[in-house]
């Protein structure tokens, strides 16, 4: 080492400087000082490009965060539209349950969302640590991960229409050996068409036809298709090979039977950014509750959920309470006599019904609300179509403790037998255990995305 001002060699030279094995506060401060000194647009752009390359290099060297005593030989990647959160919606509950099931089936599981901006400090709280979450800034986009870990995954699970439409061609390009599973969540075109019919909106029906073509094209291009609904599985099998379609539940924990049942307290739960829920809430407030109050003035109704519009939040009605978003769903359900799901339109399996039954709380619902659930005959009295029949079904359970208890027990039995971890694992095992079809599907895709039409 030499002194800068006169070049004189310093005592103790030469000195050995040990390589850095950590990036601590000192190194971070030096880097920040360097970046703060950049004064021109050109210098800033060069630094951005350089740092981006270094992030990719570091991420490629990053040890796997998934630890498994058996060292899984298979890797699975789950791609969703948004980062899931337990209890936020049925889609989140389903995808996190399936991710956990894949780990039990021997996969090292990674998960990324199209909206990859979830703060990394929050990601580990979303699910068991055996799942490796990817988010910005380490992995800014799904495309980054697919390119960086080319041909690294044995299974790629695409959740919902938007994720499948956006990424299936890229998955085929960068992960050629992966088995692609497309989980429809629910068939969007059914929901759109039914809403268009109810609202007499021709534009929605026209849009539903376009969405239908896209959904069926994506299903045809995937190696396997997952639905939670028996009704939607039957529809898909009319257009696709039956062996490609799989009904897969998600795991829901059933509570113990309640010792005490509150009286005359009804509940409705939903995410109100979802049109079927908002329509059902208005139906409940303006049509069903007046009939119930006329028959029994003591009946009250609590309406809870996220993304409530201002008009609903500000609603004032006798014996109707608008609760907004709730943080403790089990406690809320425990305070109810029963729940109501008066859906006029919609598609797929309704998580709100399953959550209610799992809590030992019966649910009075329309045929649309329970469609695809393989509803047992013991719960048939809980189904009604028109407002008068729904009112009668509600009153029948509120006024008859024995019938209420039988119905609650039947609901718990449904959850324990068909929506359990073993049922979920068995259904997914049938998919991941099959040999991947080797034929290419390039004919299904044209430049720019899915353009195939089923004949």
């Amino acid at each position: 080492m030499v002194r800068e001002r006169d070049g004189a060699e310093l005592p103790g030279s030469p000195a050995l400087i040990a390589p850095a094995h950590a990036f601590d506060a000192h190194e971070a401060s030096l880097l920040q000082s360097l970046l703060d000194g950049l004064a021109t647009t050109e210098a800033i752009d060069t630094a951005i490009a350089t740092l981006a390359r270094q992030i990719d290099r570091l991420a490629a060297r990053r040890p796997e965060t998934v630890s498994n005593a058996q060292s899984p030989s298979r890797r699975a990647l789950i791609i969703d539209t948004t980062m899931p959160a337990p209890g936020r919606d049925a889609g989140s509950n389903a995808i996190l349950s399936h991710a956990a099931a894949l780990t039990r089936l021997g996969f090292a599981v990674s998960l990324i969302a199209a909206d990859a901006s979830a703060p990394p400090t929050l990601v580990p709280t979303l699910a068991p640590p055996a799942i490796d979450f990817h988010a910005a800034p380490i992995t800014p986009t799904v495309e980054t991960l697919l390119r960086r870990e080319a041909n690294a995954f044995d299974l790629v699970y695409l959740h919902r229409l938007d994720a499948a439409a956006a990424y299936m061609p890229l998955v085929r390009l960068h992960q050629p050996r992966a088995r692609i599973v497309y989980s429809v969540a629910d068939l969007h075109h059914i929901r759109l068409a039914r809403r268009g019919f109810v609202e007499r909106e021709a534009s929605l029906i026209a849009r539903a036809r376009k969405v239908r073509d896209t959904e069926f094209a994506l299903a045809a291009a995937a190696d396997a298709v997952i639905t939670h609904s028996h009704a939607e599985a039957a529809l898909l099998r009319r257009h696709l090979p039956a062996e490609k379609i799989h009904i897969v539940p998600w795991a829901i924990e059933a509570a113990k039977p309640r010792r005490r049942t509150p009286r005359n307290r009804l509940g409705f739960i939903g995410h109100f950014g979802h049109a079927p829920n908002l329509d059902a809430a208005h139906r409940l407030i303006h049509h069903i509750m007046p009939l119930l109050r006329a028959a029994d003035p003591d009946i009250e109704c609590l309406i809870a959920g996220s993304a409530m519009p201002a008009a609903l939040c500000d609603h004032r009605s006798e014996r109707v309470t608008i609760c907004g978003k709730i943080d403790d769903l089990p406690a809320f359900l425990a305070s109810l006599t029963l729940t109501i799901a008066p859906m006029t339109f919609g598609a797929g399996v309704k998580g709100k019904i399953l959550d209610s039954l799992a809590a030992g709380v019966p649910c009075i619902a329309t045929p649309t609300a329970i469609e695809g659930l393989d509803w047992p005959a013991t719960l048939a009295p809980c189904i009604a179509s028109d407002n008068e029949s729904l009112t009668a079904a509600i009153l029948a359970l509120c006024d008859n403790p024995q019938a209420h208890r039988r119905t609650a027990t039947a609901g718990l039995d449904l959850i324990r037998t068909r929506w359990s971890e073993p049922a979920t694992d068995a259904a997914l095992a049938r998919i991941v255990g099959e040999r991947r079809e080797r034929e290419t599907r390039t004919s299904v895709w044209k430049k720019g995305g899915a353009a195939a039409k089923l004949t």
Side-chain angles (χ1 to χ4, degrees):
M1 293 185 292
V2 297
R3 191 163 50 214
E4 182 179 3
R5 72 172 181 270
D6 58 8
E9 186 172 319
L10 298 176
S13 299
L16 180 63
I17 301 175
H21 295 290
F23 190 79
D24 57 22
H26 177 66
E27 282 75 20
S29 177
L30 291 175
L31 178 60
Q32 183 174 336
S33 297
L34 174 62
L35 297 178
D36 288 344
L38 301 177
T40 67
T41 301
E42 181 180 2
I44 292 172
D45 288 345
T46 300
I48 290 173
T50 301
L51 290 172
R53 287 194 296 272
Q54 296 307 315
I55 287 173
D56 276 350
R57 289 183 66 246
L58 286 171
R61 293 169 51 201
R62 177 171 171 259
E64 285 297 320
T65 60
V66 175
S67 61
N68 188 301
Q70 298 179 346
S71 299
S73 59
R74 296 188 294 177
R75 295 186 65 195
L77 173 64
I78 297 174
I79 304 174
D80 204 349
T81 52
T82 57
M83 195 62 77
R88 185 185 63 204
D89 55 76
S92 287
N93 293 340
I95 201 67
L96 291 173
S97 171
H98 289 183
L102 287 171
T103 67
R104 292 191 294 271
L105 292 172
F107 282 86
V109 178
S110 298
L111 192 152
I112 189 169
D115 175 13
S117 59
T121 54
L122 297 181
V123 167
T125 68
L126 298 178
I131 301 169
D132 185 16
F133 285 87
H134 293 263
I138 295 174
T139 310
T141 65
V142 175
E143 292 87 344
T144 301
L145 180 60
L146 291 173
R147 182 181 65 251
R148 179 194 298 154
E149 302 202 36
N151 211 30
F153 294 100
D154 303 279
L155 177 79
V156 177
Y157 182 122
L158 299 168
H159 190 224
R160 302 186 233 245
L161 170 63
D162 290 346
Y167 299 113
M168 194 177 292
L170 287 174
V171 172
R172 288 289 184 210
L173 176 65
H174 294 297
Q175 308 295 330
R177 69 184 178 88
R179 179 172 177 80
I180 296 182
V181 176
Y182 169 33
S183 176
V184 302
D186 63 67
L187 289 174
H188 293 32
H189 78 269
I190 295 177
R191 173 163 28 95
L192 283 171
R194 288 173 174 171
R195 180 182 176 187
F197 178 78
V198 169
E199 298 180 0
R200 299 183 181 180
E201 181 57 62
S203 63
L204 286 174
I205 296 174
R207 184 181 165 203
R209 295 192 186 100
K210 294 180 181 179
V211 172
R212 176 196 61 196
D213 291 343
T214 301
E215 286 185 310
F216 284 163
L218 290 166
D223 296 309
V225 179
I226 285 176
T227 177
H228 313 302
S229 163
H230 289 264
E232 292 187 358
L235 173 62
L236 287 164
R237 285 169 180 151
R238 290 202 293 269
H239 297 272
L240 298 164
E243 64 273 11
K244 179 181 282 195
I245 312 304
H246 300 265
I247 301 170
V248 183
W250 67 87
I252 304 171
E253 185 176 356
K256 295 180 180 179
R258 294 191 292 177
R259 294 182 178 180
R260 176 181 172 276
T261 301
R263 281 187 52 80
N264 293 342
R265 205 167 194 226
L266 317 180
F268 177 83
I269 310 163
H271 174 68
F272 291 94
H274 190 52
N277 289 332
L278 188 57
D279 176 81
H282 283 296
R283 180 182 184 185
L284 176 56
I285 292 170
H286 299 294
H287 300 285
I288 297 173
M289 279 304 294
L291 295 174
L292 286 169
R293 287 199 305 271
D296 187 342
D298 291 333
I299 285 182
E300 63 175 324
C301 180
L302 281 63
I303 297 179
S306 56
M308 280 191 179
L312 187 55
C313 289
D314 296 337
H315 178 80
R316 297 291 181 270
S317 179
E318 186 181 358
R319 308 298 290 172
V320 174
T321 302
I322 307 298
C323 302
K325 184 178 181 296
I326 51 174
D327 296 321
D328 190 342
L329 179 60
F332 178 77
L333 289 169
S335 72
L336 304 176
T337 311
L338 51 84
T339 59
I340 316 169
M343 321 299 289
T344 304
F345 59 89
V349 167
K350 312 300 183 295
K352 64 175 70 64
I353 295 179
L354 298 175
D355 289 338
S356 181
L357 299 184
V361 181
C363 181
I364 303 298
T366 60
T368 297
I370 59 95
E371 182 182 54
L373 273 177
D374 198 14
W375 200 251
T378 50
L379 292 176
C382 295
I383 306 306
S385 298
D386 58 77
N387 297 330
E388 291 75 13
S389 299
L390 286 164
T391 300
I394 292 167
L395 292 171
L397 282 191
C398 286
D399 295 339
N400 190 329
Q402 291 77 22
H404 186 282
R405 188 160 44 251
R406 287 195 304 270
T407 304
T409 300
L412 287 167
D413 289 344
L414 174 65
I415 298 300
R416 292 191 184 105
T417 56
R418 301 180 192 176
W419 296 86
S420 63
E421 275 191 7
T424 302
D425 291 358
L428 277 175
R430 287 191 288 271
I431 298 173
V432 302
E434 296 172 356
R435 293 182 59 187
R436 178 175 175 258
E437 299 173 14
R438 295 295 180 183
E439 73 270 19
T440 61
R441 289 180 171 79
T442 52
S443 61
V444 177
W445 298 98
K446 291 183 180 178
K447 202 169 188 179
K453 300 292 180 67
L454 296 179
T455 57

